[in-house]
Amino acid sequence: MRQIILEMKNLITELQWRGLVHDMMPGTEEQLLKESTATYIGFDPTSDSLHIGSLVPIILLVHLKNFGHKPFALVGGATGMIGDPSGKSDERNLLDEATLNKNVEGIKNVLSKFLDFNSTDTNAPVLVNNYDWMKDFTFIEFARNVGKRITVNYMMAKDSVKKRLSGETGDGMSFTEFTYQLIQGYDFYHLHKTYGCKLQMGGSDQWGNITTGTELIRRMNVDTEAEGAKAFALTCPLITKADGSKFGKTEGGNIWLTADKTSPYKFYQFWRNTTDADAEKYIKIFTFLSKEEIDTLIEEHKKDPGQWNLQKKLADELTTFVHSTEDLEMSKFISSALFSPNMDDIKSFSEKEFLNLYDGTTNADVSKSEVEAGIDIVDMLNSKTGFLKSNGEARRALAGNSISVNKVKVTEEYKISSKDLINNQFIILQSGKRNYCVVKVV
């Protein structure tokens, strides 16, 4: 029993030094210290995958499991029909049922990569869908049994509601979105009643919704013993970048957790290119390395930042966690070959490796017939691929001897032809040392 108590205490300590605690309801730490606690986090099915913004709640669930608590992952099949107003300036378009079902299944598949829902451990993760208990709930029943428990005044005091109603963000709020916090609150009540779930975790923008759940549990258990009505809340900070820009966004859009939307190479490069300030923060948040390992890495990095050891370790850990060791090795091989001065390794690329590279760099499609006829290098750099912004920029780069085709420097007289094809399908353009464009010939 002594060992279990130590683990429960260390969970909060662990989350705090990693920077994963933003707000915590009084009594939460004591509850986690007292016993193995059923805890849930919800995932909004706005897509059939999850992007790296969802990594923090996933990692929280893994930490919970590792420290002896029981994690519940809730996929919002019901709440996804409404759309969470928290942090949003406008109401979302409602998804049709077929799209929603597809998204729910996709998110279940993603979560299953990180949590073994088939485990028979006593604290094995559980996957639930709130549509299962909301689908037969009539409006009258909900209004009588749930709606009467929470006052409109209480709901309007939430920041997510106040900002929308005041016109600070968007054009107001529909009744549909206004009811979201009640439905999410009922989810907490249902999990509390059915599974003994006593804690909900989420991002800091979810604090209002989560605390509505704790209040609903208290009020719907008003006639029971106080112990049975206890529920708690813990939120983590929303992740930001040191320069203030949005985390997880690139010029090509979101960085996703599935290879069909973001290749493992592109995923690897995202973390590999993290700034020093962000890498020092992210390695605590997104990896399971110990405090001693991380402190040593940070100190070594400060002594020789040019080696990028912190970023390399971050990229290694995350690519392995989200994809696989094989995908990590492939991503490192592609990266090494791309920045090598010769073409030997690139010529040996498999189609899978080329497609990873194609997703991770500037890219363009060009027809095979055009290549067979011959394309002037200036046209290839600008009008055919958009790699450089204008013909003038292309000519200046060529005059400055900074353009290569398949690692070979070329001049303005050069013409792209079939002889330049690698694996009969790809051409690699390069401007300077680190700017690449992969041309796929179709």
Side-chain angles (χ1 to χ4, degrees), residues 9-161:
K9 181 179 180 180
N10 282 346
L11 174 61
I12 294 300
T13 304
E14 185 84 2
L15 299 183
Q16 286 175 330
W17 80 258
R18 288 184 182 277
L20 283 170
V21 176
H22 185 270
D23 282 309
M24 187 166 58
M25 186 173 283
T28 302
E29 185 172 0
E30 290 77 7
Q31 170 61 36
L32 291 169
L33 174 62
K34 184 175 72 171
E35 61 186 356
S36 176
T37 302
T39 302
Y40 99 90
I41 297 177
F43 295 85
D44 199 358
T46 53
S47 172
D48 60 355
S49 182
L50 295 170
H51 53 71
I52 58 174
S54 297
L55 262 179
V56 172
I58 289 170
I59 285 169
L60 284 173
L61 289 173
V62 175
H63 278 304
L64 281 159
K65 174 69 170 62
N66 290 345
F67 281 89
H69 300 287
K70 190 173 182 67
F72 284 73
L74 181 148
V75 182
T79 40
M81 292 181 172
I82 294 174
D84 183 4
S86 302
K88 306 295 184 298
S89 59
D90 293 297
E91 186 157 354
R92 290 176 178 172
N93 293 326
L94 298 181
L95 300 176
D96 61 74
E97 191 169 349
T99 301
L100 190 64
N101 290 338
K102 176 175 177 285
N103 291 353
V104 167
E105 287 306 309
I107 290 175
K108 286 180 179 179
N109 290 335
V110 174
L111 293 173
S112 296
K113 291 169 56 179
F114 307 102
L115 298 159
D116 182 6
F117 298 111
N118 296 316
S119 170
T120 56
D121 293 350
T122 54
N123 68 328
V126 178
L127 182 66
V128 293
N129 181 350
N130 60 11
Y131 184 73
D132 292 338
W133 58 82
M134 293 300 299
K135 62 184 177 183
D136 297 322
F137 215 156
T138 69
F139 177 78
I140 296 298
E141 287 176 315
F142 190 82
R144 281 180 57 87
N145 299 329
V146 181
K148 71 174 183 177
R149 310 283 182 173
I150 302 291
T151 67
V152 171
N153 304 60
Y154 180 89
M155 295 172 69
M156 290 181 68
K158 302 295 182 180
D159 286 341
S160 60
V161 176

Side-chain angles (χ1 to χ4, degrees), residues 159-216:
D159 286 341
S160 60
V161 176
K162 284 196 295 186
K163 288 179 180 178
R164 290 283 289 275
L165 292 180
S166 67
E168 186 177 330
T169 57
D171 298 320
M173 175 182 286
S174 70
F175 176 77
T176 301
E177 278 194 327
F178 185 62
T179 61
Y180 185 94
Q181 64 173 290
L182 269 187
I183 297 175
Q184 183 172 323
Y186 185 80
D187 288 342
F188 198 174
Y189 169 75
H190 175 85
L191 294 176
H192 183 275
K193 180 181 68 173
T194 309
Y195 300 101
C197 191
K198 292 185 177 180
L199 172 63
Q200 184 182 169
M201 303 172 84
S204 58
D205 61 335
Q206 289 295 308
W207 181 255
N209 291 334
I210 296 174
T211 52
T212 295
T214 63
E215 183 65 11
L216 185 62

Side-chain angles (χ1 to χ4, degrees), residues 263 265-267 269 354-363:
S263 71
Y265 172 76
K266 185 175 182 180
F267 183 88
Q269 284 295 324
F354 253 115
L355 291 174
N356 266 271
L357 178 58
Y358 187 72
D359 180 57
T361 60
T362 302
N363 55 68

Side-chain angles (χ1 to χ4, degrees), residues 351 355 368 421-427 439-442:
E351 183 175 1
L355 291 174
K368 194 164 189 176
L421 292 179
I422 306 170
N423 290 354
N424 203 37
Q425 193 175 19
F426 298 97
I427 299 167
V439 181
K440 185 178 180 182
V441 179
V442 294

